[in-house]
Structure formats: structure tokens, C-alpha cells
Amino acid sequence: MSTMLSRRAVLSGAGALTLAFSLSGARAQMAAGEVDVPPKRGLPGSLDGTPRLNAWIRIDATGAVTILTGKAELGQGLRTAILQIAAEELKVPFDRLTLVTADTGRTANEGYTAGSHSMQDSGTAIRNAAAQVREILIQEAARRLSIPAETLHAADGSVAGAGNLRVSYGELVSAELLDVDAQPVSKLTATSEFTVMNRSIARVDIPGKVTGGEAYVQDRRPEGMLHARMIRPPSYGAEIIQLDSALVEAVPGVVKVLRDRNFLAVVAVDEWTAIQAMRRLSTLASWSEEAELPDSAKLADALTVLPSHDTVILDTGKPGASGKVVEGHFARPYLAHGSIGPSCAIAEAADGAVTVWTHTQGIYPLRQAIAGMLKLPVDKVRCIHTEGSGCYGHNGADDVGADAALIAMALPGRPVRVQWMREQEHSWEPFGPGMVTSVRAAVDDAGAITDWHYEVWSQSHMMRPGQSGTLLAARDKSDPAPPPPPIEIAQPEGGGDRNAIPLYRFPNSRVVTHFLPEMPLRGSSMRSLGGYLNVLSIESTMDDLAHASGQDPVDFRLRFLEEDRARAVVEKAATDFGWSRRPPLPAGGGYGFSFAQYKNLEAYCAIALEIFIDPEAGDVRIRRVNAAVDTGEVVNPDGVRNQIEGGIVQSASWTLFEQVTFNRKRITSFDWSSYPILRFSSVPERIDVAIIDRPGAPFLGVAEAAQGPVGAALANAIRDASGQRLRQLPFTPARIRQAFGR
């Protein structure tokens, strides 16, 4: 017979948990960029900055459970993984949970969704919060029923016990019950008892994307919405010297032409009218252009002679060349994010406040920047994350959000949608910075590395919002906000010097970072920051040292790797690939191997691959790839594989195809023909991803783990096939033909 309590008896007069919660304790990562702030309370993950349990978990009187995260879904499968974590620890069915992602009006301030921190920060916070909420509910049921808590357990959104006793969470919850701070230690579900975590659950964000539903901010069409288009300057530093907008203002359907010095936009009742008006207005505006960009063909030389702030980040032993020396300079161009859909935002102003629906990676920093630009109190700006069709870092999302907010304030009462055009996205987004590295290393007759000297030149990889001057709109207005000083992200995570310190152990090593405050092109955060080029440079040099000393590249790496988890991924990738028994390849064939731990702090990833090159055409075909990854406790294995597979494809595209081009005045890679990316015909023919599960280990970020290892493995395979080391990215057909002597 089921033992049930009346609602009156259980609630004892206390209402359901529907009160608003305070974010006054939320941590501020505005200036810290992708770097976690130091712990304040010793609580797990983001609980340290926002300790109140009801900031993360809400339960109402019906038993409906809402999970809140300050992180954003960027296509990495975060929503699904967070729901799995909450379902596992709360013992509530996955499909009965509701998730609210980043919203300055509802969720905790978790800074940026960047640097592969989402699972470490938010996933950890929600797992611990859910576990503590579960135990609080069990204790509350025990108190009300006057029975030992040890006789009760949570199941199916209820507290259950012997004799069919079952009390729903909705009956137990009250306004005060979860309005408490989290504790440092939680009673987490053991891996052996998982029923939801470590399962490949289908992603909740996919159906809308593949069926044409409202999946992205670009898809939203609120009632009464106006359409706006920007007229951006033709180049950095350009100024409007003449504009007569009367002809455009007279076009039927045009609502307003908005100009504030160099901020120029047109607003219309429908999108096509806005686009046509934008094109016409562009021809009527005259600009002065004075920007002087470096010679793009000599970008590496230009970067290495800029004034720099130099820091020695590793200095051990007595570096100095001895033995067989391997040396060279590696260079990468500026890279575009290549978002499939141009950046877009919707804003609506009313009563002196503005709400922005945006695909920014940092809703709270963007709110602060927009508030400063509009000279509004911060609480008059609300930013709600709405997924955008493309990301990979600091693209144009923040800028278009500021555009929309500024235009909406001039047209209060109606939503305003702003979408950039493709040429604006490719010309004005903050690029992944161009970089240069220099390596000099030596190996002795016994095959030991006796010397390692490494240097890296890079501008800031962190110019995200927080200050108004990071936004194009704020710079273009008549009262412009000055660009903020560039931020140098410190080790151990690093910016341009991310992964510049090898994980290998050398007796004599020195690593120097040259931080460049001056910025030839607008640059900021892009997937893996400096880790991509640093890993490519280090792993290419490791291969060259192995060849110089007559050692197998995998055995050589293992010789200098001390950490067990690092060795495990190297051995797994090599075994799955069949590295030790790989057969000789015909002319044009090549094998490549590489390894890194992202930031030397997060997921471990090793890559083995096989390629074939047509020497006459210079085309690279990636025949097969084996990846091994260790990302700690696994929540969704398929999600981990998705991230590694995506990283493999994107890194291959960077390595073989992508570069921002420019002349002395303008960006010239303003469309897909001038900025080619990897096409379906060049996707690897086969990818296999092995996951090394670590039950009970902390979550490690995985989204950026493959970027460096894939580029390095490709570089090593090209050297294996051609006999020549390429160091200037991308490895275009022309450079590959040259390597083959064609």
C-alpha cells in the first residue's frame, strides 16, 4: 500500500520555490577572459562565484525542474550534457527537465563560454548543486516523515522508501529550502551507478537545425520586427567625408537612415528592402581611407619587428645548442572564424531599457560594454543568449549585438533585427591573430634532447567585450570609446603562448613569449588561441628531432613523456592506427603523428593519420585519422567524438586552406572565393575516435583539444611524403608542389 502525504501536511504552509535569486556573488570574468578566477570559497566549479543552490536548480510545486547555466550552447552539445548531469544527480528523467542557458536576467554570471571551460565550470557546478539538492530533499522528507534519512532514496523526481513510500519533489520543496549556499563536498553518484551520464544521448539542439525549425537567432521573427543593415567603412580608420541619404530615406519601406559620425545603418520594414537600401546607401557615401596595413606577403617579418613585451615563461638547466641541431621559424596568417551564417542580433528598446538577443560568448561582459556605449545603467540592459549559426570564438556576434542595441534605442517599441552581410563578416570580425614561432633544438648521439629554445610572437588573443571600446559601434559613434589596452593572458593557460611550454621533459629548455601590443589587424579569441601554432611547431620539431636521431616518432615522444595519462593517449592512438606495423606507402603517401594536452591543463589528444599527395596538383587527401582523447569523466561519449571530429575537420581546413588576405588598405578575403575553406570533397575519408574514460576524474574541456595535434600530424605527414618541412601556413598546393620540386 502506497504511503502518501497530503499537500497541506507536506508543504506545511510554505510555497514552492519560485522566488528570484541574487547574483550578487557571481564572479566577474570581464577582464580575465578565458581564464578561471581564483577560488574564493573552495566550492566546486562556478559554485565558487555563485554559491546559492537556487541559482542553478529550481523546482516548483508541480515538481517541474528547471536547470540554469550561465554558459551558452555554441554547437558543442552543452545543453544535452548539462541536462544529463542534472538528470543523473537529481534522479529526474532527462526529458522532464527544462534548461535555461545564459541570460543576464535569469542565470549566474559565468563569464565567457570559452577556453573549453563549460564542463569544468558549469558542468561541475550543476553536478554538485544537483547532488546537494537531492540530499536536501531527502533530508526534508525524513524530517517531515520522522524517519531516518538513510532509509530513503531519490528516484523519478521523488523521495522514495520502504512500503511504496513516495513523496514528489514538488510536495517537498519550499521557498526557503534551496535558498542556501552550496557546501564544499557533495554526495555524487558513483560512475558504476550511472544511468544517464556516460551514455550517448541524442543532442536536444539538433532536431530544429536539421528540420528548418527556429534553431538560431537568425531564424527569429518576433511580431512587429524591423530589419536593419549596416554600412561599414571600407577599411580600418576610414571616415565619412560626404553623404546625402535623402534618396534612400524616400524609398518605400525604409523607416530610417541612422547616422552617428561613422556609424551608418538603414532600417526597413522587410529584409530585402533593407538590403537594397544598404547597397544604395553604400554608393552614396564617400570615405577617406588612411589605414596602412603591413605587406601581407611579409607578415611574419612585420610581426617580429613590432615593439614587444618579452617574458621568459620557462627556463631550466643551461640551454645552449649541442648535438644535431633542428631549427626554423613557423608562421600562421590571420584566420577568419568562417561562421556559416553571418552574425545577427535582435534588440528591443522600451522605457529607457534595451534587451538584446545575441549569440555572444559572454552575455555579462557584452551587457557591460553595451551599457557603457549607451550610457545606461547596467541593469537597463539585458542580454539573452540565442544560438547563432557559427562561432569558434570572438566573431562578429558582440559587434552586431551592439549595432542592434544602438539602432533599437533610436526606434523604441519595436524589435530590430540586424544581420551582417558576408563581406562585412569576413572584413570586420576580430580575426584569429597572425603569429610567428622560432625553434632551436638539439639531440645528441644517444638520441636524447639536449637543448630546447622556443620563442613566440603574437598580439593579444583576448579583446572581447567588457569595455565599450571593444565594440565597432562604440568606436564609430560621434563620442567614440577608445580601444581598450590589449590583454595578455597569463600562464598557465596563456594566450599567444598557450601550449608554448612543451609537456615533454627536457633538461635544458627556455621558452620566451613576445607579446605585441600593436595590432596590424583587428584580432581576438579564436578556437585554441595560440595553442594551434604552438603545438604544430613543437610537434613538427619533435618529429624532425626523431628523424635526425634515427628514432621512431612515437617511441621518441614516449621517451620524453612522464605523465601516465599523456602516455596512454599516445599509445592508444598509435595502437589503433597500427603505427608499429604501418606498411610502406607509394610515392605521395605519408604518415603523421602528434600529441598535446590542451593548455597543458585540459583534455589529452593524440592523432595518427595517413595522407596521399598528388605531387603535380599539390592536393592533399586525408585517407584515415585515428584520435585518442582523455577528457576525464565522460558525460556523453558521442558528444566527445563530435567535438574531436569537428576539430579534426576544422584544423585540417586551417592547415591546408585558410588565410586572411589584405592589401595596404583593405581586407581582400571578403567572401568564400577569396577565403576558401575545406570542402566536403577534402574531408578525411575515415575518422575513428577512441575515448579513454576516467571514472570519477574531474571534467576536462575537450572542444579545442584536437586543433593543434591535427595541424601538427598533417605537417608531419606532408614532411613524410615530400621529405621537406613546411613551416609557412597554410600548406597550399603551391607550397606543396614546391616541396616536391614541381
Side-chain angles (χ1 to χ4, degrees), residues 249-282:
E249 291 173 315
V251 172
V254 170
V255 176
K256 189 178 185 66
V257 171
L258 182 65
R259 181 191 172 189
D260 186 354
R261 196 173 70 89
N262 291 324
F263 183 88
L264 183 59
V266 61
V267 186
V269 295
D270 64 81
E271 189 168 17
W272 182 240
T273 300
I275 293 172
Q276 294 293 90
M278 177 208 70
R279 297 292 188 208
R280 184 67 182 275
L281 197 57
S282 296

Side-chain angles (χ1 to χ4, degrees), residues 19 41 53 391 433 709:
L19 78 165
R41 303 173 177 87
L53 291 179
C391 187

Side-chain angles (χ1 to χ4, degrees), residues 137-267:
L137 291 166
I138 290 173
Q139 292 292 333
E140 179 65 8
R143 183 187 69 81
R144 295 188 187 180
L145 294 167
S146 298
I147 60 176
E150 294 76 17
T151 66
L152 301 173
H153 65 277
D156 196 32
S158 301
V159 174
N164 293 324
L165 183 150
R166 185 173 296 273
V167 186
S168 75
Y169 288 171
E171 293 176 289
L172 289 167
V173 78
S174 67
E176 297 82 16
L177 190 63
L178 304 185
D179 188 20
V180 295
D181 282 352
Q183 299 303 306
V185 179
S186 308
K187 187 177 180 181
L188 300 177
T189 301
T191 304
S192 60
E193 298 175 6
F194 284 170
T195 60
V196 188
M197 287 174 62
N198 207 359
R199 302 290 190 275
S200 291
I201 292 178
R203 279 174 48 170
V204 297
D205 58 315
I206 295 299
K209 295 175 180 178
V210 299
T211 60
E214 188 179 289
Y216 303 113
V217 66
Q218 286 90 342
D219 300 323
R220 293 175 61 90
R221 295 293 187 275
E223 186 177 353
M225 184 178 75
L226 298 172
H227 293 264
R229 282 295 191 275
M230 300 302 303
I231 295 85
R232 298 241 87 97
S235 60
Y236 294 165
E239 297 278 342
I240 295 178
I241 55 177
Q242 184 176 348
L243 175 67
D244 183 354
S245 59
L247 289 175
V248 173
E249 291 173 315
V251 172
V254 170
V255 176
K256 189 178 185 66
V257 171
L258 182 65
R259 181 191 172 189
D260 186 354
R261 196 173 70 89
N262 291 324
F263 183 88
L264 183 59
V266 61
V267 186

Side-chain angles (χ1 to χ4, degrees), residues 635-713:
V635 176
N636 189 318
D638 193 48
V640 172
R641 293 188 181 92
N642 291 163
Q643 288 300 293
I644 296 298
E645 290 166 356
I648 289 168
V649 171
Q650 185 181 46
S651 184
S653 184
W654 289 353
T655 306
L656 300 175
F657 296 99
E658 297 186 39
Q659 61 180 328
V660 173
T661 60
F662 49 92
N663 57 31
R664 298 306 294 269
K665 286 186 177 181
R666 299 183 178 185
I667 305 299
T668 54
S669 50
F670 51 79
D671 58 17
W672 292 121
S673 62
S674 53
Y675 189 87
I677 61 174
L678 181 143
R679 295 175 178 267
F680 284 114
S681 58
S682 299
V683 168
E685 295 173 13
R686 176 174 176 175
I687 298 175
D688 292 290
V689 179
I691 300 171
I692 299 176
D693 198 3
R694 298 290 181 182
F699 299 136
L700 297 179
V702 72
E704 298 161 280
Q707 305 305 117
V710 172

Side-chain angles (χ1 to χ4, degrees), residues 429-499:
E429 66 158 63
F431 301 120
M435 293 175 56
V436 178
T437 64
S438 173
V439 191
R440 181 180 176 85
V443 60
D444 65 17
D445 292 339
I449 296 175
T450 57
D451 178 66
W452 184 271
H453 189 105
Y454 188 87
E455 298 181 65
V456 55
W457 288 260
S458 177
Q459 67 190 66
S460 176
H461 289 249
M462 173 53 204
M463 298 303 293
R464 294 180 184 272
Q467 298 187 49
S468 299
T470 57
L471 303 171
L472 292 177
R475 296 187 195 180
D476 288 341
K477 292 170 68 234
S478 55
D479 54 343
I487 294 173
E488 185 176 4
I489 303 176
Q491 288 288 327
E493 297 211 355
D497 57 357
R498 179 167 292 177
N499 277 104

